[in-house]
Amino acid sequence: MSTVTKSWLGVPISEIRGSQSPWGAPEFPLVVPAYNHSVLYHVQNGRPIDGDRPPKPQIGRDKWDHEFVRMPCSNQSLYPFEDSNGDCHLKKRWEVIESSLWKPIRDSRELANTILSYNTKFKKIWKFKALHKLFSEYLDEEETQYFFDVTLPEIAKLALALPKLIQSPIPLLKQHKNYSISLSQQQIASILANAFFCTFPRRNTKKKSSEYSSYPHINFYTLYETDGSESVLEKLKCLCHYFRRVCTKVPGGVVTWTRRSVPPRGCPAWGSSGSPLSSLPLHVDSDTTIEDAHGLIQVDFANKYLGGGVLNYGCVQEEIRFVICPELMVSMLFTEVLRPNEALLIVGCERYSRYTGYASTFQWAGDYRDETPLDSSGRRRCAVLAIDALPYPSTVQEYREEMLTRELNKAWIGFTFHADPESSTLQYPGVATGNWGCGAFGGSPRLKGLLQAMAAAQAGRPLAYFTFGDAELRDHIVDVYNALAKCGVTVGQLYRLIVRFSKTNVLRSDLYDFLHQVLRDGEVDKLRGTQHERMETDSTPG
Ligand code: AR6
């Protein structure tokens, strides 16, 4: 008889989703054009999109200012070009892009020259090392041939279709804004084709004084400029695969981006929160990855500059997610750097690639057919929540009270997306997360696990925590959570216990040992007293 050991503890995943099926939870709000929602395609009397044929573009007028993405095809996009006498003239850049992309491109040298033909300032700077390495050393000859013969001409067509496919301006998702943008997958493909050919104006510099210094990179040149380490080349394979797929059959769905910004006074007073931890359905799994937690709100361990190092050397959770689901990369076109009290939710992206490995061992592992159903607005029922933790050079810093509050607020702002703050019942779907801030950012999973559980309990959202292969962490999180829940500990009490730990014990003992000890000593009863006093003081009129 074989013994099957399960990889999870806590409640079954169906309790996190709110149903047996991954798709049983309520849908997110429909796509409806509004003062706070720009829909770049035509929505016909709210008619649902079937997902088979791409919707038509919304008609509008180009805007060339600080509120909107400056488009490469704008009539106002001018660029200095030298004539044969060496004199400089301003020319419409799109005309140059058009004439360059219509010409055949037979190898990576010609591709590099094409890109430089409308980025002339970088002629002596950009070397395209990774691009050359990919096509002349890494891929086999047949694959390279297929790319230049078949895929690349289609990517060029897709890029050149931009003015036809996007006819109304794309607003920037600026700081302090609560705003949504919806684009069709076809529009997204055209944007990414332009990013591939590095056509977006004013996006090739990161100087502090430059217009887009507070936005991520979008033109792919930063990736081409790396030294072409294996993980970079594998990321490029994922991106080429995406183009092969969308060029073969244009996807017909749509994707919505929503930025949420909550002023600090709108965040919970953590020290006096009376939400019981026992109200939180918690599922902890050591084997599954976040992207496979279908139907849940999947956390992206983000950089405040969305995408992090995806167009560079980065190859951890966020970057991998972005290359297997490249539609997420469009966030980088319009999302200004996230503030501490902001989060971004992306609903509807499709996954195109499989992968193996992680970081330096990351590899593209072939095509992925995404079977996620569409919602009534034509979006895949996949929600990716970008929240950025802070990087911590030391444990002591991570435990500082303002840092604890910062991370709690950040997680809570993300977890309460589209939640009903008045509702006392659980809000579905739940959240799928894990060691947020604990890899590249150096945080501690034992602390971040509890902080995210507190934010979820406060938000009324069930939580699935994926420990990424760490069975011991899984067991410890569940042990400490069960002990806290059994003693009726509230979010506020736990917050104060962590603050106490941070003031005395951080360098000497372990947070979970400390909490177990406190519970054994019956100190929670004393805390109950202080919480009562504190709540009374909070409500005493000044
Ligand atoms: N599913 C579940 N857990 C995962 C997965 C996954 N697919 N991938 C990784 N983990 P990290 P951070 C676990 O370093 O510390 C990027 O450059 C694994 O235990 O990606 O928040 C961003 O752009 C891993 O060690 O997130 C930011 O700049 C841990 O999650 C920065 O990294 C943390 O993954 C964010 O760093």
Side-chain angles (χ1 to χ4, degrees):
M1 207 177 73
S2 70
T3 44
V4 181
T5 46
K6 61 179 189 180
S7 67
W8 59 270
L9 294 173
V11 301
I13 195 77
S14 54
E15 286 191 35
I16 310 297
R17 297 185 198 125
S19 76
Q20 278 304 325
S21 140
W23 324 116
E27 296 187 354
F28 289 110
L30 288 181
V31 177
V32 180
Y35 72 96
N36 59 356
H37 192 161
S38 288
V39 182
L40 275 285
Y41 55 85
H42 189 55
V43 185
Q44 280 175 334
N45 312 322
R47 206 189 70 198
I49 286 165
D50 58 18
D52 245 11
R53 251 174 313 132
K56 294 204 173 75
Q58 178 63 41
I59 310 295
R61 284 186 58 186
D62 176 45
K63 295 229 169 93
W64 184 257
D65 63 35
H66 283 89
E67 297 300 318
F68 296 87
V69 174
R70 292 187 196 268
M71 296 295 274
C73 49
S74 167
N75 274 333
Q76 297 187 66
S77 178
L78 305 175
Y79 197 77
F81 291 93
E82 253 182 38
D83 63 19
S84 46
N85 302 325
D87 296 328
C88 239
H89 301 278
L90 284 182
K91 257 174 127 172
K92 279 192 186 158
R93 201 173 183 191
W94 189 247
E95 287 175 2
V96 182
I97 293 169
E98 276 183 314
S99 71
S100 298
L101 296 194
W102 278 129
K103 290 186 196 136
I105 304 170
R106 285 165 300 223
D107 56 30
S108 66
R109 304 267 151 217
E110 289 190 2
L111 176 54
N113 287 336
T114 302
I115 293 171
L116 287 171
S117 69
Y118 41 83
N119 287 298
T120 50
K121 282 184 222 160
F122 300 93
K123 263 193 174 138
K124 293 208 171 79
I125 302 172
W126 292 353
K127 302 280 179 252
F128 300 93
K129 197 163 172 192
L131 203 61
H132 296 317
K133 200 162 167 187
L134 177 72
F135 292 114
S136 48
E137 290 173 32
Y138 202 65
L139 295 182
D140 61 41
E141 232 170 82
E142 207 179 310
E143 282 173 306
T144 298
Q145 202 61 46
Y146 184 87
F147 181 80
F148 286 99
D149 288 351
V150 182
T151 311
L152 193 63
E154 292 300 320
I155 306 178
K157 271 194 224 156
L158 202 50
L160 292 173
L162 189 69
K164 200 176 94 217
L165 291 176
I166 299 190
Q167 301 192 13
S168 52
I170 308 177
L172 293 166
L173 286 185
K174 288 194 168 187
Q175 294 184 345
H176 310 290
K177 265 194 181 182
N178 284 283
Y179 202 90
S180 300
I181 298 176
S182 291
L183 292 163
S184 72
Q185 285 181 295
Q186 188 183 31
Q187 292 174 320
I188 292 168
S190 181
I191 289 172
L192 292 178
N194 275 279
F196 176 90
F197 282 112
C198 309
T199 69
F200 283 99
R202 306 198 184 178
R203 304 298 286 256
N204 294 339
T205 164
K206 266 287 174 190
K207 277 196 207 128
K208 273 225 153 61
S209 57
S210 69
E211 182 177 347
Y212 287 97
S213 61
S214 58
Y215 289 80
H217 281 291
I218 180 68
N219 289 333
F220 287 10
Y221 79 92
T222 45
L223 189 58
Y224 306 152
E225 284 302 282
T226 62
D227 66 6
S229 61
E230 235 170 84
S231 55
V232 163
L233 300 177
E234 294 293 328
K235 288 197 296 182
L236 274 165
K237 274 179 150 181
C238 290
L239 296 171
C240 292
H241 176 70
Y242 162 77
F243 286 119
R244 187 160 58 220
R245 277 277 306 276
V246 296
C247 291
T248 311
K249 182 174 186 315
V250 185
V254 303
V255 179
T256 300
W257 283 260
T258 304
R259 185 181 188 120
R260 177 163 148 80
S261 180
V262 179
R265 65 176 183 286
C267 294
W270 293 102
S272 49
S273 161
S275 304
L277 280 165
S278 58
S279 65
L280 175 76
L282 179 68
H283 170 98
V284 188
D285 187 331
S286 56
D287 281 7
T288 311
T289 49
I290 293 170
E291 63 275 16
D292 287 329
H294 300 295
L296 300 182
I297 299 172
Q298 303 171 346
V299 174
D300 160 22
F301 302 155
N303 191 288
K304 61 182 176 178
Y305 286 90
L306 259 286
V310 65
L311 289 180
N312 218 302
Y313 290 97
C315 199
V316 286
Q317 196 250 6
E318 175 166 56
E319 290 90 355
I320 293 175
R321 190 67 201 264
F322 274 46
V323 292
I324 61 172
C325 306
E327 288 153 352
L328 292 171
M329 290 174 68
V330 169
S331 325
M332 299 160 74
L333 178 66
F334 46 64
T335 311
E336 192 171 18
V337 56
L338 294 179
R339 293 177 55 78
N341 56 335
E342 296 182 328
L344 184 80
L345 184 75
I346 304 132
V347 175
C349 72
E350 181 168 346
R351 178 169 168 188
Y352 294 86
S353 288
R354 296 175 192 282
Y355 73 95
T356 57
Y358 188 72
S360 60
T361 62
F362 173 77
Q363 283 192 330
W364 178 70
D367 187 40
Y368 182 94
R369 292 284 153 173
D370 195 333
E371 303 293 343
T372 307
L374 303 185
D375 70 11
S376 317
S377 288
R379 295 172 296 200
R380 292 221 174 243
R381 296 200 62 188
C382 169
V384 175
L385 169 64
I387 48 174
D388 55 304
L390 279 183
Y392 291 105
S394 77
T395 312
V396 174
Q397 293 206 24
E398 190 187 11
Y399 275 87
R400 278 177 27 210
E401 188 169 355
E402 62 270 36
M403 296 300 123
L404 300 174
T405 308
R406 189 270 181 203
E407 306 293 48
L408 280 167
N409 285 344
K410 175 68 73 171
W412 178 84
I413 289 165
F415 297 175
T416 47
F417 249 107
H418 300 310
D420 173 4
E422 302 302 316
S423 168
S424 57
T425 54
L426 286 168
Q427 318 259 316
Y428 292 103
V431 172
T433 189
N435 300 335
W436 174 52
C438 302
F441 279 179
S444 144
R446 294 162 88 79
L447 174 62
K448 285 294 198 305
L450 279 188
L451 294 179
Q452 292 183 88
M454 289 158 73
Q458 184 71 25
R461 274 234 150 91
L463 191 76
Y465 194 102
F466 300 100
T467 62
F468 206 57
D470 190 340
E472 191 181 68
L473 176 64
R474 173 198 63 198
D475 298 351
H476 289 180
I477 290 178
V478 170
D479 275 353
V480 79
Y481 166 79
N482 284 341
L484 292 161
K486 197 164 142 216
C487 291
V489 173
T490 63
V491 167
Q493 287 168 339
L494 180 55
Y495 177 83
R496 282 176 284 137
L497 284 173
I498 299 175
V499 170
R500 187 183 343 149
F501 174 79
S502 75
K503 296 211 166 114
T504 49
N505 296 51
V506 169
L507 295 175
R508 276 182 285 126
S509 71
D510 167 73
L511 174 64
Y512 289 6
D513 290 345
F514 166 83
L515 292 172
H516 282 299
Q517 190 60 48
V518 168
L519 297 175
R520 273 197 299 273
D521 294 348
E523 282 199 51
V524 174
D525 294 334
K526 284 189 230 154
L527 278 170
R528 219 165 268 149
T530 44
Q531 163 135 332
H532 208 71
E533 281 161 30
R534 193 177 176 127
M535 278 161 72
E536 279 177 2
T537 334
D538 283 353
S539 56
T540 312

